[in-house]
Every structure is written in C-alpha cells, then in structure tokens.
Amino acid sequence: MVKIPRGGPVALLLAAVLIIAGCSQPSQDPVADPSIASAAPSIELTPDDGASGVDPLAPVTATVRGGTLEEVTLVNEEGRPVVGIMTPDRTSWKVGEPLGYGRNYTVTATARGGGQGASRTGSFTTLTPDNQAGVTLQTTGGTPLSTGGTYGVGIVIVAHFDEPIGDRAAAERRLSVRTTPGVEGSWYWLDDQNAHWRPREYYRPGTEVTVEARIYGVDLGGGLYGQEDVEATFTIGDSHVAIADDRTKQVKVYENGNLVRTMPTSMGMGGTEVVGGTEISFWTQRGIYTVLDKANPVVMDSSTYGLPINSRLGYKQTIAYATRISTDGVYLHQLDETVWAQGNTNLSHGCLNLNGANARWFYHFSIPGDVVEVRNTGGAPLEVWQNGDWGVPWEQWRAGSALA
C-alpha cells in the first residue's frame, strides 16, 4: 500500500517538486554573470615607468600573464623604433639591440586573453656618461689590425684606449681573444691606455685569431663608459724568424724553420753620448723584436730623438727599403755607404744596415709580426715599451693582467 502524505495528491506533487529543486545547482552563465568572467591579461614592463639612469645594456622586457602579447614597440624620443625579440609563445618580449646613452624611450605593449584585451605604456631614460672612451685594436706599431689580414707568428695585439682607464679589470673583462687552434695567452697592461695580448709561445702558422673589445655600456671607472664595440679577425702566416748575431755580424732568416737567407750587417757602434742633458745610446739593443711596418723610402732624422742634425753624429737622410722593428726607430734598411763594414764592423746609430739587394729582399719578405731576434750586443736589453713584449718572462707577463 502506498502511503499518501497528508494533504493528498496535491501535496505529494508539491513534495516531489521541492525534492527535485533541492538537488539541482543554480545557473552560472559566465556571460550573464560578469562577476565570474575570465580576468583580463596582466602586462608587466621592465624597467619601471619613469626610471632614469638606466644602463643601456640592461634588460628591457614586456611579459604577460593570462594571455598573449599582440604587439610591443620601443621607440626613442625621435620616434625611431628599436629592434625587439618575441618568444614563440608570445608571452615575453625583450630588446634586441643596445640602447643609446642619454636617450628617452617609450615602450608600448598590447595583449589579449580570455576574450579581453589589455595595453600598457611606460617610459624611461638611459644614463648619460660623464665621459666616454673609445678603443682601437692595433699592432705595437700603432697600425690598426686589418680584418682579413695576415700577420707574423709574433704579432702582439694592442687594445688602445683614447682615455686613461680607471678600472682596468672592468675593461679587461670585456676584452677577448679566440684562436683556432687554441693557444695559451694573456693581457698585459703597459699603462692606463694600452693593454697588450700575446700567446705564451709564437703562434702556429695558419692560426685564425679573433679579438673583440665589447666595452659599450661598460663602466670603466670614474664615470668613464665604453663608447663602442670593435673587433678584428686575422690569420697567422708562415713562420718568419730573423736572428741577428753581433758575434758574426750576420742576419740569418728562417722560414718555417728553414734557413732561406744570410745577410751581412753593420749594427750599432756602441757607447753613449750626452746631448742637451739626455744620454743617447748607440747600441742595437739585444732582445726579441717584431716587424712593425715598413716604408720605401723613409726620412731618418736624428733630431727626432734628441741628436741635432748639425752635431758631430747628427744626420738627416732619405733611406730606401726600411723595415721598422722598434717604436723608437730601429730599422733593417739599405745603406750603401757601409757595405764595406757589413759583416765585420758596427758603424750605425742602432739600426741594422744591409746592402741594397738584401734590404730589398727583406722588405718584400717581411710582414708585421715577423720575429727579429738580436743577440750578443752590448748596452741595455730591449724594453717592453720599445716593442719588447716577447722579452718579458711568461709569469711576469701574466702578472701584468688586471685579472691576475
């Protein structure tokens, strides 16, 4: 028997309706109910809006949560757009090139997600250096390294700054030398404006060398910032080593270890003379030189190093086939007047005199970075500032690094 609730059939129907209603959930239409709709995407910009003194190498980014970036633009105060890089999922964007010093930039980003759009704009200013330093990559002779050029096995790389560097370590961290095959090498600071780099031993012929100075945006100390990045790539040629021995007064020239020419020479006459309170040496200093450059002809003037032309030992001559090997004017060059002495007597002021055929041959044979070693002469040895980098013992050379 079915027991009918009090109230009869109508009450029974009403109870059934109430039971069904009590088991169902209320309607939740996200379109009809804005309070539960998807949140708009959130955009974050770096650096913060209104930031000043921003490092031009600092990250500039736009990121989004809850959506994807539609477009990001970064322009300077002149309206020039800056290159940027978007991630494949379009959730992040970053600047793709260095910014300028002392510039005003505006970044604008738009995004979309959950059926809604969002946008954000911010502005910032990059730092203005008190001063800037430029750098050139050159040989010890002061000639810029030529990309695509060929240099001798003793070539020394010079990073020359046009301003004194207060923080050598910061500068050196931005200097790099890569070689194929690899070699052990180090920087050595000659002074506050010149850092020299050489390997522990002479390069192997055929070595590929790339040197970079990535100094832009770098604080080099005392408000001095790097002006721009530079680089050079070159190749090491055949091994050319010339050995000038004062005992024999001969210059023996080797190519890849093979003797290819022997040249009689007349070197520095020796001794010193005080002129105007300055002591002038007439020795050809012993040590390891490298070829710096060459000229045909070159005017040699003794007054440039303190010896007046009209003095007892003064001179001014136009010299043919002159190959320079020191920063203070030592050359291997033609001098016909001393041919009789070449091979037996030293008569020069310090240069290595050769006859015409030998001077011409050596001039055409040599390239910057070729090695010239002078042995068994008197006087003081060659100093590093004179192009005597290879005479510095390796441990001492390494100690000359700002990062040692």
Side-chain angles (χ1 to χ4, degrees):
M1 177 185 294
V2 177
K3 188 175 180 180
I4 299 176
R6 189 181 297 174
V10 174
L12 179 62
L13 178 61
L14 180 58
V17 171
L18 290 173
I19 291 170
I20 294 170
C23 295
S24 65
Q25 298 296 318
S27 172
Q28 293 184 337
D29 183 351
V31 177
D33 187 352
S35 66
I36 60 172
S38 298
S42 173
I43 300 173
E44 182 177 342
L45 302 179
T46 301
D48 295 333
D49 184 26
S52 61
V54 173
D55 185 336
L57 299 180
V60 178
T61 63
T63 57
V64 63
R65 293 183 179 181
T68 56
L69 293 168
E70 291 188 315
E71 184 180 20
V72 181
T73 60
L74 178 66
V75 297
N76 64 17
E77 70 274 15
E78 297 173 351
R80 187 187 77 82
V82 180
V83 172
I85 302 169
M86 186 80 74
T87 58
D89 62 3
R90 303 191 70 82
T91 61
S92 181
W93 177 97
K94 66 179 180 180
V95 68
E97 62 178 303
L99 303 181
Y101 289 126
R103 306 303 295 263
N104 298 317
Y105 290 94
T106 300
V107 57
T108 302
T110 59
R112 193 157 192 86
Q116 299 188 63
S119 65
R120 189 168 179 184
T121 298
S123 297
F124 61 90
T125 303
T126 54
L127 64 86
T128 301
D130 294 336
N131 194 10
Q132 296 181 43
V135 62
T136 55
L137 302 174
Q138 57 191 40
T139 71
T140 48
T143 304
L145 288 169
S146 174
T147 290
T150 300
Y151 293 90
V153 296
I155 191 69
V156 174
I157 296 168
V158 177
H160 171 70
F161 295 87
D162 61 10
E163 296 283 346
I165 301 301
D167 189 341
R168 295 184 184 184
E172 190 174 327
R173 289 188 189 99
R174 307 297 294 190
L175 303 176
S176 68
V177 178
R178 302 190 309 274
T179 67
T180 304
V183 301
E184 181 183 2
S186 178
W187 290 97
Y188 175 98
W189 286 82
L190 190 64
D191 52 42
D192 287 344
Q193 291 184 247
N194 296 281
H196 292 202
W197 191 96
R198 69 165 173 88
R200 182 171 188 167
E201 300 175 346
Y202 299 147
Y203 292 97
R204 287 170 49 186
T207 299
E208 297 291 332
V209 183
T210 298
V211 55
E212 296 179 328
R214 300 295 177 194
I215 64 167
Y216 179 76
V218 178
D219 185 349
L220 302 175
L224 180 69
Y225 279 76
Q227 183 173 313
E228 64 179 347
D229 297 339
V230 294
E231 67 176 270
T233 299
F234 57 88
T235 302
I236 301 300
D238 289 332
S239 172
H240 294 170
V241 177
I243 298 176
D245 192 335
D246 195 29
R247 288 177 182 167
T248 63
K249 296 179 176 49
Q250 305 286 326
V251 181
K252 293 184 179 294
V253 184
Y254 297 84
E255 182 174 35
N256 298 323
N258 300 310
L259 180 63
V260 293
R261 198 171 185 98
T262 300
M263 307 183 298
T265 187
S266 178
M267 291 191 272
M269 68 183 77
T272 61
E273 185 162 315
V274 177
V275 180
T278 300
E279 185 178 73
I280 299 174
S281 171
F282 299 107
W283 293 101
T284 302
Q285 292 171 266
R286 64 188 179 278
I288 301 174
Y289 302 69
T290 56
V291 170
L292 300 179
D293 49 43
K294 50 192 177 181
N296 180 40
V298 62
V299 175
M300 296 189 178
D301 184 343
S302 65
S303 66
T304 60
Y305 60 88
L307 185 62
I309 296 172
N310 59 1
S311 65
R312 180 177 67 87
L313 294 172
Y315 62 87
K316 184 174 183 180
Q317 288 182 276
T318 299
I319 301 296
Y321 297 108
T323 302
R324 185 166 70 109
I325 61 172
S326 85
T327 57
D328 56 349
V330 175
Y331 290 79
L332 285 85
H333 64 79
Q334 177 179 347
L335 193 63
D336 295 335
E337 294 94 316
T338 65
V339 168
W340 67 268
Q342 293 166 22
N344 60 80
T345 306
N346 289 331
L347 295 177
S348 85
H349 290 67
C351 289
L352 289 85
N353 295 173
L354 302 171
N355 66 33
N358 285 330
R360 183 167 54 253
W361 177 88
F362 190 77
Y363 178 92
H364 291 298
F365 175 79
S366 63
I367 60 175
D370 283 354
V371 175
V372 178
E373 184 176 347
V374 175
R375 298 177 178 177
N376 300 316
T377 58
L382 184 69
E383 297 185 35
V384 63
W385 66 268
Q386 296 170 298
N387 190 34
D389 300 74
W390 284 101
V392 179
W394 180 244
E395 292 307 317
Q396 181 182 336
W397 182 270
R398 289 183 60 190
S401 164
L403 303 178

